[in-house]
Amino acid sequence: MSSGCRQVTGNINSFNVLNSSNVVNLITEADAEGRQILQWLSPLEPQQRHQGVRIDRLDGVGNWLLKPPSSEIGGIKKMVALSQYCSVTGIQGWGKHISGRKASCLEKGNADIIDD
Amino acid sequence: MGLYCDFLAQQEQSTAGMLGAILKQLVNRRGIPEYIRRAFQKAKKEFGGRGLRLPDLVEILKKTITSLQRVFICIDALDESVPKHRRGLLESLLEIVQLSSNARIFLTGRPYIGDEIAKFFSKAIRIPVNPIQDDIKSYLDMRLDGDTDPDAMDDELRADIMRVILAKISEM
C-alpha cells in the first residue's frame, strides 16, 4: 500500500478504511475473473463514493431522520415498515445526501448503528 | 445498496450502468453467482465482452434480489442523472420491486424530481426536507473552528456569521 493512500478492503461485508488520504482503492477478494465481471457489470464504483460521503459527514448531522415516528419528518424505521418506496426532496445542501447515506446504512439491519 | 448520481459522471450513468452498479454491490458482498459468471463468459465468447442488455440485466437483478432476505436500494441525487436514463432507471426499478416484496427503494433529489418519481411510484412516501437549524449550526461551528486564519476571527464576528447565515437560511 502506498503511503498517503486510503485503502479500502472490500472484504465481502465491509469497506474498512485502513489509512487516510484523498485516494480510495477498492480491493476485493474476488478472483481475477470476478474482478472482470464486476467491471463488466458497471464501470461505476458507488462504494468509493460512499466512503467519500461518509468521511465528509459531520457527526450528528441528519440524525432527525432516525427520530421516533411521532416527530414531524423523522421515523425512517416506520417509513421502511409502511412503504416499499420513499423519496426525499429538497434544494441543494439541505440534507438529502446525508439522509441517503443514512438510509443506505439500513442494509445493516439496524438503523441505530448508523453513526459508524 | 447505494448509488450516487453526479452531474460530472453522466456519461457512465446510463440506465444499464446504474443498475449494473447496484447488482455489482449485491454480488460483491455475497460472491458472484454462477448464472452471472455464465452470462459474462457467454458475452465474452459470443459478443466480444459486450455489456449486459438492459432486459437481461433487469432479469438478473430480479433473480439476485429474490435470493436475498431484504434489499435496500438507495439512490442519491436522482436529479443529477440524465433524464432519459433516469426514466429507464425508474421503470426498471418499478419492474424489479413489483416482483420483489423484500426490496425497498429510497430516492433523494431536488423538489422537481418528486413528480417524476410519483409517475412511477404513486404510493411512495415523500419527505420534503427543510433546513434543520441545529444541523446548520453544527456545520458552521465545524467550519469556523477549522478557519485557516483564526487571527482574523473574534467572538463578535463569529456571532455575526452565525446569526446572518441562520437567518438567511430560515428565509429560504
Coordinates of all heavy atoms in Angstrom, one line a residue, chain A residues 12-13 15 28 31 33-34 36-38 40-42 44-47 49-50 53 58 60-62 64 76 79-80 82-92 94 96-97 99-101 103-104 106-107, chain B residues 1-2 4 12 17 20-21 24-25 28-29 32 37 40-41 44 49-52 72 74 76 97 100 103-111 121 124-129 131-132 135 138-139 142 172:
Chain A
I12 N -15.9 -8.6 1.4 CA -17.3 -9.1 1.4 C -18.3 -8.2 2.1 O -19.2 -7.7 1.5 CB -17.3 -10.6 1.9 CG1 -16.3 -11.4 1.2 CG2 -18.7 -11.1 1.7 CD1 -16.5 -11.5 -0.3
N13 N -18.2 -8.0 3.4 CA -19.2 -7.3 4.1 C -18.9 -5.9 4.5 O -19.7 -5.2 5.1 CB -19.7 -8.1 5.3 CG -20.5 -9.3 4.8 OD1 -21.4 -9.2 3.9 ND2 -20.3 -10.5 5.4
F15 N -16.2 -2.2 4.0 CA -15.2 -1.4 3.3 C -14.4 -0.7 4.3 O -14.7 0.5 4.6 CB -15.9 -0.5 2.2 CG -16.6 -1.3 1.2 CD1 -17.9 -1.6 1.3 CD2 -15.8 -1.8 0.1 CE1 -18.5 -2.4 0.3 CE2 -16.5 -2.6 -0.9 CZ -17.8 -2.9 -0.8
T28 N -10.9 -6.1 -3.7 CA -11.9 -7.1 -3.5 C -11.2 -8.5 -3.3 O -10.1 -8.7 -3.8 CB -13.0 -7.2 -4.6 OG1 -12.3 -7.8 -5.7 CG2 -13.5 -5.9 -4.9
D31 N -11.8 -13.3 -7.3 CA -10.8 -13.9 -8.2 C -10.6 -12.9 -9.4 O -11.4 -12.0 -9.6 CB -11.1 -15.3 -8.6 CG -12.5 -15.4 -9.3 OD1 -13.4 -14.5 -9.0 OD2 -12.7 -16.2 -10.1
E33 N -11.3 -13.4 -12.6 CA -12.5 -13.3 -13.4 C -13.6 -12.6 -12.7 O -14.3 -11.8 -13.3 CB -13.0 -14.8 -13.7 CG -14.2 -14.7 -14.7 CD -14.8 -16.0 -14.9 OE1 -15.4 -16.6 -14.0 OE2 -14.8 -16.5 -16.1
G34 N -13.6 -12.7 -11.4 CA -14.6 -12.0 -10.6 C -14.4 -10.5 -10.7 O -15.4 -9.7 -10.9
Q36 N -13.1 -9.0 -13.2 CA -13.5 -8.6 -14.6 C -15.0 -8.5 -14.7 O -15.6 -7.6 -15.3 CB -13.0 -9.7 -15.6 CG -11.6 -9.6 -15.9 CD -11.2 -10.8 -16.9 OE1 -12.0 -11.2 -17.7 NE2 -9.9 -11.2 -16.8
I37 N -15.7 -9.4 -14.0 CA -17.2 -9.5 -14.0 C -17.7 -8.2 -13.4 O -18.6 -7.6 -13.9 CB -17.7 -10.7 -13.3 CG1 -17.4 -12.0 -14.2 CG2 -19.2 -10.6 -13.1 CD1 -17.7 -13.3 -13.5
L38 N -17.1 -7.8 -12.3 CA -17.6 -6.6 -11.6 C -17.5 -5.4 -12.5 O -18.3 -4.5 -12.5 CB -16.9 -6.4 -10.2 CG -17.1 -7.5 -9.2 CD1 -16.2 -7.2 -8.0 CD2 -18.5 -7.6 -8.8
W40 N -17.3 -5.5 -15.7 CA -18.3 -5.7 -16.8 C -19.7 -5.3 -16.4 O -20.4 -4.7 -17.3 CB -18.2 -7.2 -17.2 CG -19.2 -7.7 -18.2 CD1 -19.2 -7.4 -19.6 CD2 -20.3 -8.6 -18.0 NE1 -20.2 -8.1 -20.2 CE2 -20.9 -8.8 -19.2 CE3 -20.8 -9.2 -16.9 CZ2 -22.0 -9.6 -19.4 CZ3 -21.9 -10.1 -17.0 CH2 -22.5 -10.3 -18.3
L41 N -20.1 -5.5 -15.2 CA -21.4 -5.2 -14.8 C -21.6 -3.7 -14.8 O -22.7 -3.2 -15.2 CB -21.7 -5.7 -13.4 CG -21.9 -7.2 -13.2 CD1 -22.0 -7.6 -11.8 CD2 -23.1 -7.7 -14.0
S42 N -20.6 -2.9 -14.4 CA -20.7 -1.5 -14.4 C -19.4 -0.8 -14.2 O -18.6 -1.3 -13.3 CB -21.7 -1.0 -13.3 OG -21.8 0.4 -13.3
L44 N -19.2 2.0 -12.8 CA -19.4 2.9 -11.6 C -18.9 2.2 -10.4 O -19.0 1.0 -10.2 CB -20.8 3.3 -11.5 CG -21.4 4.0 -12.7 CD1 -23.0 4.1 -12.5 CD2 -20.8 5.4 -12.8
E45 N -18.4 3.0 -9.4 CA -17.9 2.5 -8.2 C -18.5 3.2 -7.0 O -17.9 4.0 -6.3 CB -16.3 2.7 -8.1 CG -15.5 1.9 -9.1 CD -15.5 0.4 -8.9 OE1 -16.0 0.0 -7.9 OE2 -14.9 -0.3 -9.8
P46 N -19.8 2.9 -6.8 CA -20.5 3.6 -5.7 C -20.0 3.4 -4.3 O -20.1 4.3 -3.5 CB -22.0 3.1 -5.8 CG -21.9 1.9 -6.6 CD -20.7 2.0 -7.5
Q47 N -19.3 2.3 -4.1 CA -18.7 2.1 -2.7 C -17.7 3.2 -2.4 O -17.6 3.6 -1.3 CB -18.0 0.7 -2.6 CG -18.9 -0.4 -3.0 CD -18.8 -0.9 -4.4 OE1 -18.6 -0.1 -5.3 NE2 -18.8 -2.2 -4.6
R49 N -17.6 6.2 -3.6 CA -18.3 7.5 -3.4 C -18.9 7.5 -2.0 O -18.9 8.5 -1.3 CB -19.4 7.6 -4.5 CG -20.3 8.8 -4.3 CD -19.6 10.1 -4.9 NE -20.5 11.1 -5.0 CZ -20.3 12.3 -4.4 NH1 -19.2 12.6 -3.8 NH2 -21.2 13.3 -4.6
H50 N -19.3 6.3 -1.6 CA -19.9 6.2 -0.2 C -18.9 6.6 0.8 O -19.2 7.3 1.8 CB -20.4 4.8 0.0 CG -21.1 4.5 1.3 ND1 -22.4 5.0 1.5 CD2 -20.6 4.0 2.4 CE1 -22.7 4.6 2.8 NE2 -21.7 4.0 3.3
V53 N -18.4 10.3 1.0 CA -19.6 11.0 1.7 C -19.5 10.7 3.2 O -19.7 11.6 4.0 CB -20.9 10.4 1.1 CG1 -22.1 10.9 2.0 CG2 -21.1 10.9 -0.3
L58 N -20.4 15.4 9.0 CA -20.2 15.9 10.4 C -21.1 15.0 11.3 O -22.3 14.8 11.0 CB -20.6 17.3 10.5 CG -20.6 17.9 11.9 CD1 -19.1 18.0 12.4 CD2 -21.1 19.4 11.8
G60 N -23.5 13.5 13.7 CA -24.8 14.0 14.3 C -25.7 14.7 13.3 O -26.9 14.8 13.5
V61 N -25.1 15.2 12.2 CA -26.0 15.9 11.2 C -26.8 14.8 10.5 O -26.4 13.8 10.1 CB -25.1 16.6 10.2 CG1 -25.9 17.0 9.0 CG2 -24.4 17.8 10.8
G62 N -28.1 15.1 10.4 CA -29.0 14.2 9.8 C -29.7 13.2 10.7 O -30.4 12.4 10.3
W64 N -32.1 13.6 12.6 CA -33.5 13.8 12.6 C -34.2 12.7 11.8 O -35.3 12.3 12.1 CB -33.9 15.1 12.0 CG -33.3 15.4 10.7 CD1 -32.2 16.1 10.4 CD2 -33.8 15.0 9.4 NE1 -31.9 16.2 9.1 CE2 -32.9 15.5 8.4 CE3 -34.9 14.3 9.0 CZ2 -33.1 15.3 7.1 CZ3 -35.1 14.0 7.6 CH2 -34.2 14.5 6.7
I76 N -37.6 7.0 10.0 CA -37.3 6.2 8.8 C -37.6 4.7 9.0 O -38.0 4.0 8.1 CB -35.8 6.4 8.4 CG1 -35.6 5.8 7.0 CG2 -34.9 5.8 9.4 CD1 -34.3 6.2 6.4
M79 N -41.2 4.4 8.3 CA -41.3 4.6 6.9 C -41.0 3.3 6.1 O -41.8 2.9 5.2 CB -40.4 5.7 6.4 CG -40.3 5.9 5.0 SD -38.8 6.8 4.6 CE -37.6 5.5 4.6
V80 N -39.9 2.7 6.5 CA -39.5 1.5 5.8 C -40.5 0.4 6.0 O -40.8 -0.4 5.1 CB -38.1 1.1 6.3 CG1 -37.7 -0.4 5.8 CG2 -37.1 2.0 5.8
L82 N -43.7 0.8 6.5 CA -45.0 1.1 5.9 C -45.0 1.0 4.4 O -46.0 0.7 3.8 CB -45.4 2.6 6.3 CG -46.0 2.8 7.7 CD1 -46.3 4.2 7.9 CD2 -47.2 1.9 7.9
S83 N -43.9 1.4 3.8 CA -43.9 1.5 2.3 C -42.7 0.9 1.7 O -41.6 0.9 2.3 CB -44.0 3.0 1.9 OG -44.0 3.1 0.5
Q84 N -42.9 0.4 0.5 CA -41.8 -0.1 -0.3 C -40.9 1.0 -0.9 O -39.8 0.7 -1.3 CB -42.3 -1.1 -1.3 CG -41.4 -2.3 -1.6 CD -42.0 -3.2 -2.6 OE1 -43.2 -3.1 -3.0 NE2 -41.2 -4.2 -3.0
Y85 N -41.5 2.1 -1.1 CA -40.8 3.2 -1.7 C -40.9 4.5 -0.9 O -41.9 4.8 -0.3 CB -41.5 3.5 -3.1 CG -42.2 2.4 -3.8 CD1 -43.5 2.4 -3.9 CD2 -41.4 1.3 -4.2 CE1 -44.2 1.3 -4.6 CE2 -42.1 0.2 -4.8 CZ -43.4 0.2 -5.0 OH -44.1 -0.8 -5.6
C86 N -39.8 5.3 -1.0 CA -39.8 6.5 -0.3 C -38.9 7.5 -1.0 O -37.9 7.1 -1.6 CB -39.2 6.4 1.1 SG -39.1 7.9 2.0
S87 N -39.3 8.8 -1.1 CA -38.4 9.7 -1.7 C -38.2 10.9 -0.8 O -39.1 11.3 0.0 CB -39.0 10.2 -3.0 OG -40.2 10.9 -2.8
V88 N -37.0 11.5 -0.8 CA -36.7 12.7 0.0 C -36.4 13.8 -1.0 O -35.5 13.6 -1.8 CB -35.5 12.5 0.9 CG1 -35.1 13.8 1.6 CG2 -35.9 11.5 2.0
T89 N -37.1 14.9 -0.9 CA -36.8 16.0 -1.9 C -36.5 17.3 -1.1 O -37.0 17.6 0.0 CB -38.1 16.3 -2.8 OG1 -39.2 16.5 -1.9 CG2 -38.3 15.1 -3.7
G90 N -35.6 18.1 -1.7 CA -35.2 19.3 -1.1 C -34.2 20.0 -1.9 O -33.7 19.4 -2.9
I91 N -33.9 21.3 -1.7 CA -33.0 22.0 -2.5 C -31.6 21.6 -2.1 O -31.4 21.0 -1.1 CB -33.2 23.5 -2.5 CG1 -32.8 24.1 -1.1 CG2 -34.6 23.9 -2.9 CD1 -32.7 25.6 -1.1
Q92 N -30.6 22.1 -2.9 CA -29.2 21.7 -2.7 C -28.7 22.1 -1.3 O -29.0 23.2 -0.9 CB -28.3 22.4 -3.8 CG -26.9 21.9 -3.7 CD -26.1 22.6 -4.8 OE1 -26.6 23.6 -5.4 NE2 -24.9 22.1 -5.1
W94 N -29.5 20.7 1.6 CA -30.4 20.7 2.8 C -30.5 19.3 3.4 O -31.4 19.0 4.2 CB -31.8 21.1 2.3 CG -32.0 22.6 2.3 CD1 -31.0 23.5 2.4 CD2 -33.2 23.4 2.2 NE1 -31.4 24.8 2.4 CE2 -32.8 24.7 2.2 CE3 -34.5 23.0 2.1 CZ2 -33.7 25.7 2.1 CZ3 -35.4 24.0 2.0 CH2 -35.1 25.4 2.0
K96 N -30.3 16.0 1.8 CA -30.8 14.9 1.1 C -29.6 13.8 1.0 O -29.9 12.6 1.2 CB -31.2 15.2 -0.3 CG -32.2 16.3 -0.4 CD -32.7 16.5 -1.8 CE -31.6 17.0 -2.8 NZ -31.0 18.3 -2.4
H97 N -28.4 14.3 0.8 CA -27.3 13.5 0.6 C -27.0 12.7 1.9 O -26.8 11.5 1.8 CB -26.1 14.4 0.3 CG -25.0 13.7 -0.4 ND1 -25.1 13.1 -1.5 CD2 -23.7 13.6 0.0 CE1 -23.9 12.6 -1.9 NE2 -23.1 12.9 -1.0
S99 N -29.2 12.1 4.3 CA -30.3 11.1 4.5 C -30.1 9.9 3.7 O -30.4 8.8 4.1 CB -31.6 11.8 4.3 OG -31.8 12.3 3.0
G100 N -29.6 10.1 2.4 CA -29.4 9.0 1.6 C -28.3 8.0 2.1 O -28.4 6.8 2.1
R101 N -27.3 8.7 2.7 CA -26.2 7.9 3.3 C -26.7 7.1 4.5 O -26.4 5.9 4.7 CB -25.0 8.8 3.7 CG -23.7 8.0 3.9 CD -22.8 8.7 4.8 NE -23.1 8.5 6.2 CZ -22.8 7.5 6.9 NH1 -22.1 6.5 6.4 NH2 -23.1 7.4 8.2
A103 N -29.8 6.3 5.1 CA -30.7 5.2 4.7 C -30.0 4.0 4.1 O -30.4 2.9 4.3 CB -31.7 5.7 3.6
S104 N -28.8 4.3 3.5 CA -28.1 3.2 2.9 C -27.5 2.3 4.0 O -27.3 1.1 3.8 CB -26.9 3.7 2.0 OG -25.9 4.2 2.8
L106 N -29.2 1.3 6.4 CA -30.3 0.4 6.9 C -30.0 -1.0 6.5 O -30.6 -1.9 7.1 CB -31.6 0.9 6.4 CG -32.2 2.1 7.0 CD1 -33.4 2.6 6.3 CD2 -32.6 1.8 8.5
E107 N -29.2 -1.2 5.4 CA -29.0 -2.5 5.0 C -28.3 -3.4 6.0 O -28.3 -4.6 6.0 CB -28.2 -2.5 3.7 CG -26.8 -2.0 3.9 CD -26.1 -1.8 2.5 OE1 -26.4 -0.8 1.8 OE2 -25.2 -2.6 2.2
Chain B
M1 N -28.0 -1.1 -0.9 CA -27.1 -0.8 -2.0 C -27.3 0.7 -2.3 O -28.4 1.2 -2.3 CB -27.5 -1.6 -3.2 CG -27.5 -3.1 -3.0 SD -25.9 -3.7 -2.5 CE -26.2 -4.1 -0.8
G2 N -26.2 1.4 -2.5 CA -26.3 2.8 -2.7 C -25.8 3.2 -4.0 O -24.9 2.5 -4.6
Y4 N -24.9 7.0 -6.1 CA -24.8 8.4 -6.1 C -24.8 9.0 -7.5 O -23.8 8.8 -8.2 CB -23.6 8.9 -5.3 CG -23.6 8.4 -3.9 CD1 -23.0 7.2 -3.6 CD2 -24.1 9.2 -2.9 CE1 -23.0 6.8 -2.2 CE2 -24.1 8.8 -1.5 CZ -23.5 7.6 -1.2 OH -23.5 7.1 0.1
E12 N -21.1 7.8 -17.7 CA -21.1 6.5 -17.2 C -22.4 6.1 -16.6 O -22.7 4.9 -16.4 CB -20.0 6.3 -16.1 CG -18.6 6.5 -16.6 CD -18.2 7.9 -16.6 OE1 -18.9 8.8 -16.1 OE2 -17.1 8.3 -17.2
G17 N -25.7 1.2 -16.7 CA -24.6 1.4 -15.8 C -25.0 1.6 -14.3 O -24.4 1.0 -13.4
G20 N -26.4 -1.8 -13.2 CA -25.2 -2.7 -13.0 C -24.5 -2.4 -11.7 O -23.9 -3.3 -11.1
A21 N -24.4 -1.1 -11.4 CA -23.7 -0.7 -10.1 C -24.4 -1.3 -8.9 O -23.8 -1.7 -7.9 CB -23.5 0.8 -10.1
K24 N -23.7 -5.0 -8.9 CA -22.3 -5.2 -8.6 C -22.1 -5.2 -7.0 O -21.4 -6.1 -6.5 CB -21.5 -4.0 -9.2 CG -20.1 -4.0 -9.1 CD -19.6 -2.8 -9.9 CE -18.1 -2.6 -9.9 NZ -17.7 -1.5 -10.8
Q25 N -22.8 -4.3 -6.4 CA -22.7 -4.3 -4.9 C -23.3 -5.5 -4.3 O -22.8 -6.1 -3.3 CB -23.3 -3.0 -4.4 CG -22.6 -1.8 -4.7 CD -23.4 -0.5 -4.4 OE1 -23.4 -0.1 -3.2 NE2 -24.0 0.1 -5.3
N28 N -20.9 -8.4 -5.0 CA -19.6 -8.3 -4.5 C -19.5 -8.6 -3.0 O -18.5 -9.0 -2.5 CB -19.1 -6.8 -4.7 CG -17.6 -6.7 -4.5 OD1 -16.8 -7.6 -4.6 ND2 -17.2 -5.5 -4.1
R29 N -20.7 -8.5 -2.4 CA -20.7 -8.8 -0.9 C -21.0 -10.3 -0.6 O -20.6 -10.8 0.4 CB -21.8 -8.0 -0.3 CG -21.5 -6.5 -0.3 CD -22.5 -5.7 0.5 NE -22.0 -4.4 0.6 CZ -22.2 -3.6 1.7 NH1 -23.0 -4.1 2.7 NH2 -21.8 -2.4 1.8
I32 N -20.1 -14.0 -6.4 CA -20.7 -13.8 -7.7 C -21.4 -15.2 -8.1 O -20.8 -16.2 -8.2 CB -19.7 -13.5 -8.8 CG1 -19.0 -12.1 -8.5 CG2 -20.3 -13.5 -10.2 CD1 -17.8 -11.7 -9.3
R37 N -21.7 -15.5 -13.8 CA -20.4 -15.9 -14.4 C -20.7 -16.5 -15.8 O -20.0 -16.2 -16.8 CB -19.8 -17.0 -13.6 CG -19.1 -16.5 -12.3 CD -18.3 -17.5 -11.6 NE -17.8 -17.0 -10.3 CZ -16.6 -16.3 -10.2 NH1 -15.9 -16.1 -11.3 NH2 -16.3 -15.8 -9.1
F40 N -21.4 -13.7 -18.2 CA -20.2 -13.0 -18.6 C -19.4 -13.8 -19.6 O -18.9 -13.2 -20.6 CB -19.3 -12.8 -17.3 CG -18.0 -12.3 -17.6 CD1 -17.8 -11.0 -18.0 CD2 -16.9 -13.1 -17.4 CE1 -16.5 -10.5 -18.2 CE2 -15.6 -12.6 -17.6 CZ -15.4 -11.3 -18.1
Q41 N -19.2 -15.1 -19.3 CA -18.5 -15.9 -20.3 C -19.1 -16.0 -21.6 O -18.4 -15.9 -22.7 CB -18.3 -17.4 -19.7 CG -17.3 -17.4 -18.5 CD -17.6 -18.5 -17.5 OE1 -18.5 -19.3 -17.7 NE2 -16.8 -18.6 -16.5
K44 N -18.4 -12.7 -23.4 CA -17.0 -12.6 -23.8 C -16.8 -13.5 -25.0 O -16.1 -13.0 -25.9 CB -16.2 -13.2 -22.6 CG -14.7 -12.8 -22.6 CD -14.1 -13.2 -21.3 CE -12.6 -13.0 -21.4 NZ -11.9 -13.5 -20.1
G49 N -17.4 -9.4 -25.3 CA -17.4 -8.8 -23.9 C -18.4 -7.7 -23.8 O -18.3 -6.9 -22.8
R50 N -19.3 -7.6 -24.7 CA -20.3 -6.5 -24.6 C -21.1 -6.6 -23.3 O -21.4 -7.7 -22.8 CB -21.3 -6.7 -25.8 CG -22.3 -5.6 -25.9 CD -23.4 -6.0 -26.9 NE -24.2 -7.1 -26.4 CZ -25.2 -7.7 -27.1 NH1 -25.3 -7.4 -28.4 NH2 -25.9 -8.6 -26.6
G51 N -21.4 -5.4 -22.8 CA -22.2 -5.4 -21.5 C -23.5 -6.0 -21.6 O -24.1 -6.2 -22.7
L52 N -24.1 -6.3 -20.5 CA -25.5 -6.9 -20.5 C -26.5 -5.9 -21.1 O -26.4 -4.7 -20.9 CB -25.9 -7.1 -19.1 CG -25.4 -8.4 -18.4 CD1 -25.7 -8.4 -16.9 CD2 -26.1 -9.6 -19.0
F72 N -32.2 -3.0 0.4 CA -32.5 -1.6 0.3 C -31.7 -1.0 -0.8 O -30.5 -1.1 -0.8 CB -32.1 -0.9 1.6 CG -32.9 -1.3 2.8 CD1 -32.5 -2.3 3.7 CD2 -34.1 -0.7 3.1 CE1 -33.2 -2.7 4.8 CE2 -34.9 -1.0 4.2 CZ -34.4 -2.1 5.0
C74 N -30.8 2.5 -2.4 CA -30.8 4.0 -2.1 C -30.1 4.7 -3.2 O -28.9 4.4 -3.6 CB -30.0 4.3 -0.8 SG -30.7 3.4 0.6
D76 N -29.1 8.4 -4.5 CA -29.0 9.8 -4.1 C -28.9 10.7 -5.3 O -28.2 10.4 -6.3 CB -27.7 9.9 -3.2 CG -27.6 11.2 -2.5 OD1 -28.7 11.8 -2.1 OD2 -26.5 11.7 -2.4
V97 N -39.1 -4.1 -8.2 CA -39.7 -4.2 -6.9 C -41.1 -4.7 -6.9 O -41.6 -5.2 -5.9 CB -39.7 -2.8 -6.1 CG1 -38.2 -2.4 -5.9 CG2 -40.5 -1.8 -6.9
S100 N -40.6 -8.1 -6.2 CA -39.7 -8.4 -5.1 C -40.2 -7.7 -3.8 O -39.8 -6.6 -3.6 CB -38.2 -8.0 -5.4 OG -37.9 -8.4 -6.7
A103 N -37.7 -6.0 -1.4 CA -36.9 -4.8 -1.8 C -37.5 -3.5 -1.4 O -38.7 -3.4 -1.4 CB -36.7 -4.8 -3.3
R104 N -36.7 -2.6 -1.0 CA -37.1 -1.2 -0.6 C -36.4 -0.2 -1.4 O -35.1 -0.4 -1.6 CB -36.9 -1.0 0.9 CG -37.6 -1.9 1.9 CD -39.1 -1.5 1.9 NE -39.9 -2.3 2.9 CZ -40.4 -3.5 2.6 NH1 -40.2 -4.0 1.4 NH2 -41.1 -4.1 3.5
I105 N -37.1 0.8 -1.8 CA -36.4 1.9 -2.6 C -36.4 3.2 -1.9 O -37.4 3.6 -1.3 CB -37.2 2.1 -3.9 CG1 -37.4 0.8 -4.7 CG2 -36.5 3.1 -4.8 CD1 -36.2 0.2 -5.3
F106 N -35.3 3.8 -1.8 CA -35.1 5.1 -1.1 C -34.4 6.1 -2.1 O -33.3 5.8 -2.6 CB -34.3 5.0 0.1 CG -34.2 6.2 1.0 CD1 -35.2 6.4 2.0 CD2 -33.2 7.2 0.8 CE1 -35.1 7.6 2.8 CE2 -33.2 8.3 1.6 CZ -34.1 8.5 2.6
L107 N -35.1 7.1 -2.5 CA -34.6 8.1 -3.5 C -34.5 9.5 -2.9 O -35.3 9.9 -2.2 CB -35.5 8.1 -4.7 CG -35.9 6.8 -5.4 CD1 -37.1 6.9 -6.3 CD2 -34.7 6.2 -6.1
T108 N -33.5 10.2 -3.3 CA -33.4 11.6 -2.9 C -33.2 12.5 -4.2 O -32.6 12.0 -5.2 CB -32.2 11.9 -1.9 OG1 -31.0 12.0 -2.7 CG2 -32.1 10.9 -0.9
G109 N -33.6 13.7 -4.1 CA -33.5 14.6 -5.3 C -34.0 16.0 -5.0 O -34.7 16.2 -3.9
R110 N -33.8 16.9 -5.9 CA -34.4 18.3 -5.7 C -35.9 18.2 -5.9 O -36.4 17.2 -6.5 CB -33.7 19.2 -6.7 CG -32.3 19.4 -6.3 CD -31.5 20.3 -7.2 NE -30.1 20.1 -7.0 CZ -29.1 20.8 -7.5 NH1 -29.4 21.7 -8.3 NH2 -27.9 20.5 -7.3
P111 N -36.6 19.2 -5.4 CA -38.1 19.1 -5.4 C -38.8 18.7 -6.7 O -39.7 17.9 -6.7 CB -38.5 20.4 -4.9 CG -37.4 20.9 -4.1 CD -36.2 20.4 -4.8
F121 N -43.8 5.6 -9.0 CA -44.1 5.1 -7.6 C -45.2 6.0 -7.0 O -44.9 6.8 -6.1 CB -42.9 5.1 -6.8 CG -41.7 4.3 -7.3 CD1 -40.7 4.8 -8.1 CD2 -41.8 2.9 -7.2 CE1 -39.7 4.1 -8.6 CE2 -40.8 2.1 -7.7 CZ -39.7 2.7 -8.4
A124 N -45.5 6.1 -3.2 CA -44.3 6.3 -2.4 C -44.5 7.4 -1.3 O -45.3 8.3 -1.5 CB -43.2 6.8 -3.3
I125 N -43.9 7.1 -0.2 CA -43.9 8.2 0.9 C -42.9 9.2 0.5 O -41.8 8.9 0.1 CB -43.5 7.6 2.2 CG1 -44.6 6.6 2.7 CG2 -43.3 8.6 3.3 CD1 -44.3 5.9 4.0
R126 N -43.4 10.5 0.5 CA -42.5 11.6 0.1 C -42.2 12.5 1.3 O -43.1 13.0 2.0 CB -43.2 12.4 -1.0 CG -42.3 13.5 -1.6 CD -43.0 14.0 -2.8 NE -42.4 15.3 -3.3 CZ -42.8 15.9 -4.4 NH1 -43.8 15.5 -5.1 NH2 -42.2 17.0 -4.8
I127 N -40.9 12.7 1.6 CA -40.5 13.5 2.7 C -39.8 14.8 2.2 O -38.7 14.7 1.7 CB -39.5 12.7 3.6 CG1 -40.2 11.4 4.1 CG2 -39.1 13.6 4.8 CD1 -39.2 10.6 5.0
P128 N -40.5 15.9 2.3 CA -39.8 17.2 1.9 C -38.8 17.6 3.0 O -39.1 17.6 4.2 CB -40.9 18.2 1.8 CG -42.1 17.6 2.4 CD -41.8 16.2 2.7
V129 N -37.6 17.9 2.6 CA -36.5 18.2 3.6 C -36.4 19.7 3.8 O -36.3 20.4 2.8 CB -35.2 17.6 3.2 CG1 -34.1 18.0 4.2 CG2 -35.3 16.1 3.0
P131 N -34.4 22.9 6.0 CA -33.2 23.1 6.8 C -33.4 22.9 8.3 O -34.4 23.4 8.9 CB -32.8 24.5 6.5 CG -34.0 25.2 6.0 CD -34.8 24.2 5.4
I132 N -32.5 22.1 8.9 CA -32.6 21.9 10.3 C -31.6 22.8 11.0 O -30.4 22.7 10.7 CB -32.2 20.4 10.6 CG1 -33.1 19.4 9.8 CG2 -32.3 20.1 12.1 CD1 -34.6 19.4 10.2
D135 N -28.5 21.3 12.7 CA -27.5 20.8 11.8 C -26.7 21.9 11.2 O -25.4 21.8 11.1 CB -28.2 20.0 10.7 CG -28.7 18.6 11.1 OD1 -28.4 18.2 12.2 OD2 -29.3 17.9 10.2
S138 N -24.2 23.3 13.7 CA -23.1 22.4 14.0 C -22.1 22.4 12.8 O -20.9 22.5 13.0 CB -23.6 20.9 14.1 OG -24.5 20.8 15.1
Y139 N -22.7 22.5 11.6 CA -21.8 22.6 10.4 C -21.0 23.9 10.4 O -19.8 23.9 10.2 CB -22.6 22.5 9.2 CG -21.8 22.5 7.9 CD1 -21.0 21.3 7.6 CD2 -21.7 23.6 7.1 CE1 -20.3 21.3 6.4 CE2 -21.0 23.6 5.9 CZ -20.2 22.5 5.6 OH -19.4 22.5 4.5
M142 N -18.2 23.8 12.9 CA -17.1 23.0 12.4 C -16.2 23.8 11.4 O -15.0 23.8 11.5 CB -17.6 21.7 11.7 CG -16.5 20.8 11.2 SD -17.1 19.6 10.0 CE -17.5 20.6 8.6
M172 N -35.4 30.8 3.4 CA -35.4 30.0 2.2 C -36.7 29.2 2.1 O -37.2 28.7 3.1 CB -34.2 29.2 2.0 CG -32.9 30.1 1.8 SD -31.4 29.1 1.7 CE -31.5 28.5 0.1

